[in-house]
Amino acid sequence: MDSDRVNRWLTLGANLGVLVGIILLVVELDQNRDLMRSQIRYQVFQDEANNNLSVATDRQLVEVIYRAGNSEELEEVDRIQNHIRLIAYFRIQENIHYQYRQGLFDEQEYEGIKVARRGFVGVSDETARAWCRVRGGSSEEFRHAMDQSFVDLDCPE
């Protein structure tokens, strides 16, 4: 009879230990999820900062962007450089949009990103032409979001 009672107490203790272990695992997974969210958000903003810094430190590229923004004629090599810069911007924006859909940005944060995007795409007609050329390679959700950033976007099908 005493051994039966000890077994029940040991079983109860073991079950409580398992329960505590599961609770600690859930807490750890939640902390890990928060850490992962933080790392991904940091990387997204780091990508944007690096992109902006690369422009800021390249006077020739700044001149290309300035001329494109004023609808001046660009030499072919300058047009290609500007196009590649715009593609990089679109890819960064697509990543941000994906992370938003995954819940890494709340509505208020993402609304600020959309406002900044509308300001960026309104700078030159070349931005719209570049988007029309590459938009087919983007997810449908991002295409829709990006299309809304432009005023009177008219991409040939």
Side-chain angles (χ1 to χ4, degrees), residues 68-82:
N70 288 319
S71 300
E72 293 178 21
E73 191 65 33
L74 297 176
E75 294 178 23
E76 186 64 15
V77 70
D78 293 338
R79 190 188 60 71
I80 291 169
Q81 183 180 32
N82 190 51

Side-chain angles (χ1 to χ4, degrees), residues 63-103:
E63 290 172 1
V64 168
I65 293 168
Y66 177 80
R67 290 195 319 268
N70 288 319
S71 300
E72 293 178 21
E73 191 65 33
L74 297 176
E75 294 178 23
E76 186 64 15
V77 70
D78 293 338
R79 190 188 60 71
I80 291 169
Q81 183 180 32
N82 190 51
H83 182 73
I84 291 170
R85 176 189 70 90
L86 291 171
I87 290 171
Y89 174 80
F90 298 143
R91 292 299 173 227
I92 290 169
Q93 290 300 307
E94 186 166 18
N95 184 30
I96 290 170
H97 184 262
Y98 174 79
Q99 301 304 336
Y100 163 71
R101 288 190 345 254
Q102 300 306 308

Side-chain angles (χ1 to χ4, degrees), residues 3-141:
S3 68
D4 192 36
R5 191 174 182 163
V6 169
N7 273 342
R8 278 189 274 159
W9 278 107
L10 288 175
T11 302
L12 178 61
N15 287 340
L16 285 175
V18 168
L19 182 61
V20 168
I22 290 172
I23 290 170
L24 290 175
L25 181 63
V26 167
V27 169
E28 187 176 332
L29 287 173
D30 190 51
Q31 289 174 340
N32 190 36
R33 181 183 51 87
D34 290 344
L35 178 62
M36 194 63 126
R37 284 178 59 153
S38 176
Q39 288 174 331
I40 290 171
R41 290 188 64 207
Y42 174 79
Q43 186 61 49
V44 164
F45 286 113
Q46 190 65 43
D47 289 348
E48 273 198 321
N50 287 340
N51 189 44
N52 291 337
L53 186 59
S54 70
V55 170
T57 58
D58 186 342
R59 181 175 178 82
Q60 183 270 336
L61 179 57
V62 171
E63 290 172 1
V64 168
I65 293 168
Y66 177 80
R67 290 195 319 268
N70 288 319
S71 300
E72 293 178 21
E73 191 65 33
L74 297 176
E75 294 178 23
E76 186 64 15
V77 70
D78 293 338
R79 190 188 60 71
I80 291 169
Q81 183 180 32
N82 190 51
H83 182 73
I84 291 170
R85 176 189 70 90
L86 291 171
I87 290 171
Y89 174 80
F90 298 143
R91 292 299 173 227
I92 290 169
Q93 290 300 307
E94 186 166 18
N95 184 30
I96 290 170
H97 184 262
Y98 174 79
Q99 301 304 336
Y100 163 71
R101 288 190 345 254
Q102 300 306 308
L104 295 177
F105 295 100
D106 63 28
E107 284 296 324
Q108 185 178 1
E109 290 172 310
Y110 190 66
E111 188 58 39
I113 291 167
K114 289 191 317 188
V115 167
R117 184 188 305 146
R118 283 191 295 272
F120 180 88
V121 302
V123 172
S124 76
D125 294 338
E126 181 58 31
T127 307
R129 285 190 295 274
W131 171 243
C132 287
R133 286 191 295 270
V134 301
R135 69 189 286 276
S138 299
S139 70
E140 184 177 334
E141 295 90 352

